[in-house]
Amino acid sequence: MEWETVIGLEIHTQLATRSKIFSGAATAYGAEPNTQACAVDLGLPGVLPVLNGEVVRMAIKFGLAIDAEITPLSVFARKNYFYPDLPKGYQISQFELPIVGKGQVTIELADGSSKVVGVTRAHLEEDAGKSLHEDFHGMTGIDLNRAGTPLLEIVSEPDMRSAQEAVAYMRKIHSIVRYIEISDGNMQEGSFRCDANVSVRPKGQKEFGTRAELKNINSFRFVEKAIELEVERQIDILESGGTVVQETRLYDANRNETRSMRSKEEAMDYRYFPDPDLLPVQVTDEDIEKVRQTLPELPDAKKARFVEDYSLSSEDAGILTASRELSIYFETVVEGCGEAKLAANWVMGELGGYLNRENLDIGNSPVSAEMLAGMLKRISDNTIYGKIAKEVFEAMWKGEGDADAIIDSKGLKQITDSGAIESLIDEVLANNPKQVEEYRGGKEKMLGFFVGQIMKATGGKANPGQVNQILKEKLKGG
Amino acid sequence: MSVDKSDIEKIAHLARLQIDEADVADYTTHLANILDLVAQMNSVDTEHVTPMAHPMDAVQRLREDVVTETNQREHFQAIAPQVEDGLYLVPRVIE
Amino acid sequence: MHTKTIAELAAGLRDKAFSSEELTRETLARIRQHNEATNSFITVSDELALAQAREADRKLAAGEAGPLTGIPIAQKDIFCTDGVLTTCGSRMLENFIAPYDATVIRRFGQAGAVMVGKTNMDEFAMGSSNETSYYGPVRNPWDLDSVPGGSSGGSAAAVAALMVPGATGTDTGGSIRQPAALCGITGLKPTYGRVSRYGMIAFASSLDQAGPLARTAEDAALMLNAMAGFDERDSTSIEREVPDYSAELNRDLQGLKIGLPKEYFSEGLDDAVARVIEAAIDEYRKLGAEVVEISLPNSNLAVPVYYVVAPAECSSNLSRFDGVRFGHRCEDPRDLEDLYKRSRGEGFGAEVKRRIMIGTYALSAGYYDAYYLKAQKIRHLISDDFRQAFDKVDVIMGPTSPGTAFKLGEKTDDPITMYLSDIYTIAVNLAGLPGMSVPAGQVNGLPVGLQIIGNYFDESRLLNVAHRFQQVTDHHRQIPSGFA
């Protein structure tokens, strides 16, 4: 039988605020345990939540970025369950009336086509703390620093049909939240993580199959792997005549397997009800307009502009706009050197390679956009050419200064004085009469030999085009 | 409205309350009585009534995004039943 | 000194007739003398009180004193008090030294009041008789075999027994007004949102409101002046100017329109109590008020709605008591579930557990619409009844409680009957309105309270209406024998 995979994602993105969603405690990552958990975060008796206005603006910003409806009066509800990392015994979240309603994003598929994925809703909520399972005499330690950190949970429609589509969607959301600067998207620190609802059904069947929820996946690679494994597992079950159980599963990256997390015999009964400690959150048209003013150019629009303005291929434009930092870097280079194609080749080629090798973000590149532009200018004005340029780039990467300084100190400037080149050529031709004869006898391949000799004599600094041209004239002249 | 022992056990579990076996009957009677009392609500047609979650017809006030709290871990943990290395300790959590 | 009101004591302090330290010492002595009989206090904070009194004397000497500077006040043990045991009447918080101050505590501190102790109360404010306290029942100074009412029973008894001139209470379904009525004192529940709930241990968040208990409306006004006001730590507190509640006390009542809801004078009301209330209404006629009959047609639904909304909210509010970060923790938990179930099972008393159970049930899957949502809709109808009434009248009057103080143990086996004793007070909380109880007379030596309900933020008018009554009557001056 042919199977079809159905995937929906719930992405939790941590909002980049200074203070927590309902308290004035700091949200900084990596503090000593429980030093950023104030009375409100600890759920001490008598404390009350007060909503951070910044999270509301950030949620609106996201809503606008995905063309979604913004709810004029949204409501915070309590999701009740007991867990040691949940101090109040309930999580303040949004249930019936989320702040962001239906929206959509477009993803690019491997075959070059694109697909629209629906976003059902996005709602604000507080994060829980962390359980540490190291050995405390067989006990678990609870750190509540993260409790109360603002999250935007972005829920997709079950529109994705493969692990690859799921990854493309996740990347797209990741790029949007970073473009609009509502989240740092840092996956190692848990600022961007997702749950995947996965089911399979016979191709052509309308009803969805029973789904499993894969919890807390925090990398693009793991999403793909976890989904693929889960699909395989479900198909195996179905093909051997079994039934898939609705449950929560955990992806174990070390063992490369998914396993059942908590038994669902006790169906979760969260007893949602509107939080009486908080009032409805009002968003007026005026509020929305104010946020709209702060919205930067979004990835899709920027990509279209790159194709149009810089005559880049759609693929290159896609790569260069995948992150806002990279797109800004690229445009700074273009501005500095004036040649978009050249800039694109270097940013995606040499620079991309170095960054990859050293596992660095564009933000941490030792070669700034201005430095790269400075070097590319020297290629444009024929001061250096390709091979030398790579040498200059490497030196810049190692922190030896900017392009001009390196060219100067290493004496890498191209010899462009045609008189000097002519005399060099004369010398080479005079020293190699036999080869000259051969060339003139029709062995045109010998041209390469002469070019090589000349480059050797100049330490590679002669302009190959210029050398070629003069050589051909001289050899013709006889 | 009838309530039976298994309802009481289910609710007690949801609420994480240990209830003595001997008290189950009392809880059952009490809950049934309350549900009878509450059933009076059914005498009113509320189809076109909006629910009232708050006495005040107001909207949420928004706080500025500033850090106002300082570290008070020692103070807060002085009243905690069991802490170690700044962490609250609970019996091992199995996922 | 103990027979003096707050206003009289404040005058004495200003005139240097006595110091706050002398007053405080005498108050502490009187508490020691009478607490055994009434069990009004869970904690008496001698040292803290004397330190605050000395600071108050310094302010008095420096001429920086306000009306409450140096006045001994008792706080209901529901308000978190930094460094002081705060039990909320529960075994759950038997060892809970609060690590911060409730806004109400902070405001009294800023006003220079002296906190002499924390008063007994029904566990987590759930009760109408003060019998659910883990620290033993409070006894009514008018009859030590009767209940003082609840949940602010310790505060009401402490004021009635002249142990303190004023105390704080909280009112979720009548918990200030009903004990005030049963103990023969004056109690005010302000408009929801008028007094900050920050640091007040929550029972039912959309109903809870703190207010003063004192002997006179004049004193209640002085206390409310200190308590009321916007608090940025409470999202439900209202950003609205606070009037001087003492300013309007003497306003003439000529032309005041009083509404008497016919539903508050029907079956269930004790005849003798009804006669006391009618006599009080006659006093108002003499003061120039116009009395009209009104109807609050959904009154009979207030108790059913309340017993869905309040338990639902409490079931969630009390989830934080889990034995992990504070409060009672069971011995040697086998596993996490055992930790939760035994800590909560041991820490909470029977009534609290009953209400958590009801609330959990009402919110659980499949029942939400039939119970919680339905209740919130009827709550709207109840609230609309009042809105319509206040189009026609200035204040609404009726009995605070259907009867006088009942005997200890009389209703403990029948929670539903107990719940019905709040029949006249609950609707006010559901609507969020301000309400008062003032002493209106006695039946068989036990006090009867007249309830006065006002429109939103009309506390000044309530205090005025109560104060004028107290100027022409002496019910509020009665002192229980044995406590003179």
Side-chain angles (χ1 to χ4, degrees):
Chain A
M1 190 181 302
E2 215 184 320
W3 299 94
E4 181 178 52
T5 306
V6 176
I7 304 159
L9 294 187
E10 291 165 16
I11 295 175
H12 292 86
T13 183
Q14 182 183 322
L15 298 175
T17 54
R18 284 185 281 272
S19 65
K20 292 188 177 173
I21 182 168
F22 297 119
S23 82
T27 54
Y29 180 79
E32 283 293 301
N34 292 309
T35 55
Q36 287 180 168
C38 71
V40 173
D41 307 325
L42 293 173
L44 291 184
V47 298
L48 296 168
V50 182
L51 183 59
N52 183 341
E54 195 57 29
V55 306
V56 173
R57 286 183 282 279
M58 286 176 166
I60 297 171
K61 209 169 177 186
F62 178 77
L64 293 174
I66 62 158
D67 218 1
E69 302 151 20
I70 309 294
T71 313
L73 270 182
S74 63
V75 170
F76 279 99
R78 293 185 183 177
K79 179 181 184 180
N80 294 283
Y81 65 96
F82 286 89
Y83 207 69
D85 65 12
L86 188 70
K88 300 185 294 298
Y90 58 84
Q91 178 194 30
I92 306 178
S93 180
Q94 296 189 304
F95 183 52
E96 278 183 337
L97 291 166
I99 186 158
V100 176
K102 269 188 188 311
Q104 58 182 56
V105 296
T106 305
I107 57 170
E108 252 83 313
L109 305 180
D111 64 3
S113 66
S114 60
K115 172 172 179 168
V116 173
V117 176
V119 171
T120 316
R121 59 184 283 168
H123 63 256
L124 289 167
E125 62 183 26
E126 57 178 347
D127 206 346
K130 246 167 47 187
S131 304
L132 302 163
H133 302 291
E134 290 103 71
D135 200 25
F136 295 99
H137 342 288
M139 301 189 87
T140 292
I142 307 294
D143 174 11
L144 296 171
N145 279 348
R146 208 178 60 185
T149 300
L151 297 179
L152 185 68
E153 178 172 338
I154 304 156
V155 183
S156 84
E157 294 285 318
D159 284 350
M160 288 150 282
R161 294 291 172 268
S162 68
Q164 292 71 34
E165 286 185 22
V167 173
Y169 167 79
M170 195 173 167
R171 282 190 188 278
K172 190 56 174 261
I173 297 290
H174 189 248
S175 143
I176 291 173
V177 298
R178 295 181 65 207
Y179 256 80
I180 62 176
E181 293 180 310
I182 63 169
S183 174
D184 63 14
N186 190 322
M187 295 170 104
Q188 277 88 48
E189 294 177 6
S191 302
F192 193 86
R193 52 193 200 260
C194 95
D195 302 339
N197 287 304
V198 180
S199 66
V200 297
R201 63 182 171 190
K203 202 155 189 135
Q205 180 182 301
K206 269 212 165 120
E207 300 78 41
F208 293 131
T210 307
R211 64 190 165 88
E213 188 182 10
L214 304 176
K215 274 277 178 208
N216 253 329
I217 319 175
N218 65 354
S219 89
F220 296 121
R221 202 157 52 90
F222 290 168
V223 168
E224 187 163 354
K225 282 202 154 183
I227 292 175
E228 277 170 354
L229 278 169
E230 181 57 22
V231 167
E232 229 173 88
R233 189 188 71 90
Q234 291 187 14
I235 292 176
D236 280 353
I237 292 174
L238 294 171
E239 288 190 337
S240 59
T243 47
V244 174
V245 190
Q246 185 172 334
E247 63 181 347
T248 305
R249 297 181 70 82
L250 193 69
Y251 171 67
D252 184 332
N254 296 325
R255 296 199 210 161
N256 200 31
E257 61 175 28
T258 71
R259 62 167 186 273
S260 190
M261 213 172 135
R262 24 178 121 109
S263 120
K264 281 267 157 171
E265 67 186 306
E266 177 209 332
M268 277 305 198
D269 186 344
Y270 292 123
R271 289 158 285 140
Y272 281 102
F273 74 107
D275 190 332
D277 288 334
L278 291 159
L279 300 166
V281 181
Q282 186 173 47
V283 179
T284 63
D285 290 346
E286 208 179 302
D287 296 332
I288 295 175
E289 276 323 301
K290 249 193 232 160
V291 175
R292 204 189 295 279
Q293 305 298 321
T294 68
L295 210 58
E297 187 181 23
L298 294 168
D300 288 353
K302 189 170 264 188
K303 182 180 162 189
R305 184 168 62 79
F306 277 18
V307 170
E308 176 78 23
D309 289 3
Y310 304 132
S311 310
L312 298 179
S313 72
S314 170
E315 203 191 336
D316 288 356
I319 294 170
L320 291 169
T321 55
S323 92
R324 187 170 180 209
E325 291 81 355
L326 185 62
S327 73
I328 291 171
Y329 186 102
F330 168 71
E331 287 207 280
T332 311
V333 176
V334 174
E335 208 173 287
C337 77
E339 285 192 46
K341 195 78 201 164
L342 184 66
N345 287 342
W346 275 85
V347 171
M348 292 187 298
E350 203 69 5
L351 174 67
Y354 272 81
L355 290 173
N356 252 338
R357 259 197 302 283
E358 304 203 7
N359 208 5
L360 285 176
D361 282 338
I362 187 73
N364 303 323
S365 168
V367 177
S368 71
E370 288 75 14
M371 286 165 77
L372 181 57
M375 190 197 84
L376 297 187
K377 263 203 301 216
R378 295 294 158 259
I379 295 180
S380 300
D381 68 11
N382 285 325
T383 307
I384 53 172
Y385 78 103
K387 202 175 152 208
I388 297 286
K390 286 188 180 177
E391 209 180 314
V392 175
F393 185 87
E394 192 185 354
M396 289 200 297
W397 184 272
K398 286 180 181 157
E400 293 173 21
D402 67 11
D404 286 344
I406 292 165
I407 292 167
D408 222 43
S409 68
K410 298 203 168 182
L412 296 174
K413 196 171 157 141
Q414 206 163 224
I415 301 165
T416 49
D417 174 355
S418 56
I421 293 176
E422 264 183 63
S423 53
L424 253 171
I425 289 175
D426 287 342
E427 208 181 306
V428 169
L429 295 185
N431 290 342
N432 298 284
K434 207 175 125 212
Q435 285 80 353
V436 173
E437 278 312 303
E438 284 177 24
Y439 178 85
R440 288 184 174 148
K443 212 170 170 188
E444 291 195 4
K445 275 201 295 190
M446 288 310 292
L447 187 70
F449 165 76
F450 296 118
V451 173
Q453 290 294 310
I454 291 154
M455 296 312 267
K456 202 170 151 193
T458 60
K461 285 178 290 183
N463 181 324
Q466 206 179 3
V467 170
N468 259 307
Q469 198 196 339
I470 299 172
L471 248 180
K472 276 186 190 163
E473 304 242 321
K474 295 255 173 199
L475 288 165
K476 215 192 307 171
Chain B
M1 187 76 204
S2 72
V3 184
D4 61 27
K5 194 178 162 211
S6 73
D7 290 323
I8 295 297
E9 282 164 356
K10 196 188 113 198
I11 302 162
H13 176 67
L14 263 182
R16 298 295 187 275
L17 285 176
Q18 179 179 273
I19 281 175
D20 291 341
E21 191 65 32
D23 294 335
V24 171
D26 277 352
Y27 280 105
T28 312
T29 315
H30 179 70
L31 186 58
N33 288 345
I34 279 285
L35 294 178
D36 282 342
L37 173 76
V38 162
Q40 288 176 38
M41 296 197 304
N42 298 328
S43 63
V44 189
D45 176 13
T46 51
E47 207 190 316
H48 303 291
V49 183
T50 51
M52 172 174 154
H54 282 282
M56 293 295 124
D57 199 14
V59 294
Q60 178 62 35
R61 195 171 44 80
L62 302 177
R63 182 174 62 76
E64 256 192 81
D65 182 25
V66 278
V67 175
T68 53
E69 304 300 317
T70 50
N71 173 22
Q72 293 193 70
R73 186 174 77 182
E74 309 317 317
H75 189 45
F76 291 145
Q77 293 195 339
I79 50 168
Q82 199 178 357
V83 288
E84 192 172 311
D85 298 345
L87 297 162
Y88 293 97
L89 293 194
V90 296
R92 179 172 301 235
V93 176
I94 307 145
E95 282 191 338
Chain C
M1 231 184 306
H2 61 272
T3 57
K4 288 189 162 60
T5 65
I6 293 175
E8 288 160 357
L9 291 171
L13 286 169
R14 265 197 312 274
D15 298 344
K16 313 266 189 297
F18 45 84
S19 69
S20 174
E21 188 173 344
E22 286 164 337
L23 173 60
T24 301
R25 284 192 191 282
E26 194 176 311
T27 304
L28 292 168
R30 198 168 158 84
I31 292 172
R32 266 193 302 278
Q33 183 189 347
H34 290 294
N35 197 43
E36 205 176 318
T38 64
N39 195 25
S40 296
F41 284 84
I42 292 173
T43 300
V44 180
S45 44
D46 297 76
E47 273 176 45
L48 180 70
L50 288 169
Q52 288 177 343
R54 283 189 282 268
E55 171 63 15
D57 283 330
R58 193 195 59 74
K59 279 190 186 166
L60 282 156
E64 300 162 4
L68 291 184
T69 306
I71 303 290
I73 296 286
Q75 297 284 357
K76 185 173 180 178
D77 209 18
I78 199 168
F79 296 102
C80 285
T81 313
D82 200 358
V84 177
L85 181 69
T86 300
T87 68
C88 218
S90 181
R91 181 185 181 196
M92 181 59 86
L93 295 178
E94 197 179 7
N95 57 3
F96 181 67
I97 308 294
Y100 74 104
D101 272 338
T103 299
V104 163
I105 299 286
R106 197 166 45 79
R107 282 176 176 268
F108 272 107
Q110 283 163 351
V114 172
M115 189 189 85
V116 289
K118 309 284 298 282
T119 59
N120 202 345
M121 55 181 284
D122 276 302
E123 184 179 5
F124 285 102
M126 297 176 201
S128 311
S129 67
N130 225 299
E131 292 165 293
T132 72
S133 170
Y134 177 68
Y135 305 90
V138 175
R139 291 163 184 274
N140 192 321
W142 291 92
D143 170 16
L144 295 174
D145 292 329
S146 288
V147 305
S151 63
S152 313
S155 288
V159 173
L162 307 184
M163 293 153 92
V164 281
T168 55
T170 60
D171 190 317
T172 306
S175 283
I176 288 174
R177 290 159 292 158
Q178 187 252 19
L182 270 45
C183 289
I185 61 165
T186 304
L188 167 64
K189 177 205 103 74
T191 307
Y192 182 83
R194 181 78 286 184
V195 176
S196 170
R197 295 188 295 115
Y198 189 78
M200 183 176 121
I201 300 175
F203 162 14
S205 312
S206 76
L207 304 166
D208 296 343
Q209 184 64 200
L213 292 123
R215 292 218 298 288
T216 65
E218 185 186 19
D219 285 0
L222 290 172
M223 288 177 70
L224 187 60
N225 279 335
M227 297 172 81
F230 171 69
D231 180 7
E232 59 180 22
R233 287 186 179 274
D234 176 0
S235 298
T236 62
S237 96
I238 307 288
E239 254 177 308
R240 184 185 168 117
E241 211 188 317
V242 180
D244 176 357
Y245 292 110
S246 303
E248 302 277 311
L249 288 174
N250 288 306
R251 221 169 98 183
D252 194 356
L253 298 189
Q254 195 67 41
L256 178 81
K257 277 194 137 182
I258 298 173
L260 303 183
K262 61 178 190 217
E263 293 81 5
Y264 285 22
F265 293 88
S266 59
E267 58 165 327
L269 177 61
D270 181 277
D271 286 343
V273 169
R275 282 194 294 278
V276 169
I277 299 300
E278 278 152 18
I281 305 288
D282 279 339
E283 285 296 336
Y284 277 104
R285 285 199 180 90
K286 284 187 222 159
L287 287 166
E290 188 189 327
V291 179
V292 294
E293 189 187 85
I294 56 162
S295 174
L296 300 170
N298 292 292
S299 293
N300 64 321
L301 293 170
V303 172
V305 166
Y306 180 84
Y307 278 96
V308 172
V309 174
E313 292 181 7
C314 102
S315 72
S316 176
N317 283 335
L318 269 56
S319 291
R320 70 191 60 199
F321 301 99
D322 59 4
V324 177
R325 297 164 317 287
F326 46 78
H328 178 76
R329 182 180 192 137
C330 67
E331 293 281 331
D332 304 321
R334 283 191 308 279
D335 53 26
L336 187 62
E337 196 172 302
D338 187 46
L339 168 73
Y340 286 150
K341 290 186 172 174
R342 273 201 294 134
S343 298
R344 291 166 60 76
E346 295 163 4
F348 294 138
E351 182 60 20
V352 171
K353 280 188 266 197
R354 276 199 283 269
R355 298 208 194 184
I356 292 174
M357 295 283 284
I358 300 165
T360 304
Y361 181 84
L363 290 175
S364 65
Y367 298 113
Y368 178 82
D369 286 6
Y371 294 111
Y372 192 76
L373 196 65
K374 180 89 183 179
Q376 293 289 48
K377 286 178 169 186
I378 298 178
R379 186 173 178 185
H380 213 153
L381 298 177
I382 290 169
S383 172
D384 284 346
D385 285 354
F386 281 109
R387 278 176 208 275
Q388 281 162 23
F390 282 117
D391 285 343
K392 291 179 232 137
V393 300
D394 300 315
V395 292
I396 294 170
M397 287 188 187
T400 304
S401 181
T404 53
F406 45 90
K407 295 288 179 197
L408 282 159
E410 189 180 320
K411 296 186 181 180
T412 40
D413 292 338
D414 186 0
I416 304 276
T417 313
M418 183 85 89
Y419 295 171
L420 290 171
S421 66
D422 293 333
I423 190 155
Y424 305 132
T425 47
I426 275 175
V428 169
N429 298 81
L430 291 171
L433 293 164
M436 272 191 93
S437 181
V438 292
Q442 292 193 352
V443 171
N444 297 329
L446 291 174
V448 171
L450 168 73
Q451 183 173 211
I452 314 171
I453 302 165
N455 209 339
Y456 295 102
F457 298 102
D458 228 356
E459 287 83 0
S460 280
R461 168 110 65 170
L462 288 185
L463 288 160
N464 161 229
V465 169
H467 180 67
R468 293 303 296 235
F469 182 75
Q470 290 181 338
Q471 286 190 311
V472 295
T473 59
D474 62 0
H475 310 301
H476 62 289
R477 291 190 212 281
Q478 304 305 309
I479 295 167
S481 58
F483 295 93

